[in-house]
Amino acid sequence: MALTPSNMLPLGTKAPDFVLIDTITNKPVSLQKVRGEKGTVVMFICNHCPYVKHVNEEIVRVCNDYRVTGFGFVAINSNDVENYPEDAPDKMWETARKHSYPFPYLFDEDQEVAKAYDAACTPDFYLFDQDLKLIYRGQLDNSRPGNSIPVNGRDLREALDNVLNNSPQREDQKPSMGCNIKWK
């Protein structure tokens, strides 16, 4: 496991479009389908990464807390499943059920969506405004496995609250840190 930071896609970037299969419903899901009235959170996660496992419960809480306020949420797994079979679509389905994911969990088999988003690690978070322009990217919070800081979603929650309160986003956005995406 190589500790990898987010690439920090430039703010203002338009959300790259996608249509991927949701491993929960086995149906295609597009960016337009998951888009929220207030904004959209795109998360790159996977099943096996200890950094994702560390924050899974909080990701679900954040989604449940904010989707009712007009935000859309989607998670994408772009890992190479030949070399990391625990991230295969059937295992994604199991993980989604185990954690009661309230968002689609999409499989990016050809890794083109991860490349379009310049995703580097799992977890990696992107918040787009109502016009699908990037306003936040980076970490969920300061917690990491073993650092004794509680998982609270502070950074992403603050970014979502800023949208709801018509407040500017922080300029000092911190990159997420996690396992590198497993490229083919």
Side-chain angles (χ1 to χ4, degrees):
M1 160 182 77
L3 184 60
T4 303
S6 301
N7 284 331
M8 303 300 277
L9 190 66
L11 295 174
T13 298
K14 182 87 168 166
D17 207 6
F18 58 78
V19 177
L20 297 170
I21 297 296
D22 180 7
T23 60
I24 300 167
T25 64
N26 205 31
K27 295 186 174 163
V29 171
S30 67
L31 175 62
Q32 293 305 317
K33 183 171 181 174
V34 298
R35 183 179 185 175
E37 179 183 311
K38 299 272 186 188
T40 307
V41 175
V42 177
M43 307 172 277
F44 286 85
I45 66 173
C46 69
N47 298 336
H48 86 276
C49 174
Y51 294 89
V52 174
K53 289 178 178 181
H54 182 69
V55 299
N56 249 329
E57 289 180 20
E58 183 61 18
I59 290 171
V60 170
R61 278 192 294 269
V62 168
C63 178
N64 284 331
D65 290 348
Y66 287 90
R67 66 185 177 150
V68 297
T69 64
F71 289 98
F73 288 80
V74 65
I76 300 171
N77 172 14
S78 300
N79 279 353
D80 171 11
V81 298
E82 273 190 42
N83 290 311
Y84 296 87
E86 60 269 40
D87 289 332
D90 62 319
K91 303 293 185 195
M92 292 170 62
W93 181 87
E94 289 173 13
T95 297
R97 295 291 182 208
K98 174 182 175 187
H99 295 285
S100 300
Y101 283 175
F103 45 78
Y105 191 15
L106 312 181
F107 182 48
D108 179 21
E109 184 173 11
D110 64 10
Q111 302 182 315
E112 291 303 314
V113 176
K115 290 174 188 168
Y117 279 77
D118 201 19
C121 62
T122 56
D124 214 348
F125 299 91
Y126 300 80
L127 171 59
F128 296 91
D129 67 13
Q130 63 188 10
D131 299 319
L132 293 176
K133 292 218 166 89
L134 185 64
I135 56 174
Y136 176 83
R137 75 284 194 245
Q139 68 178 11
L140 180 69
D141 58 34
N142 287 320
S143 184
R144 306 288 184 269
N147 76 358
S148 300
I149 297 173
V151 179
N152 59 17
R154 183 182 157 264
D155 292 56
L156 182 57
R157 286 177 180 276
E158 180 181 279
L160 293 162
D161 287 340
N162 286 339
V163 171
L164 293 174
N165 298 321
N166 293 315
S167 299
Q169 296 294 336
R170 293 173 65 133
E171 292 183 27
D172 63 335
Q173 298 177 10
K174 297 178 186 172
S176 188
M177 298 288 284
C179 300
N180 61 306
I181 289 183
K182 308 306 184 213
W183 302 105
K184 294 181 182 182

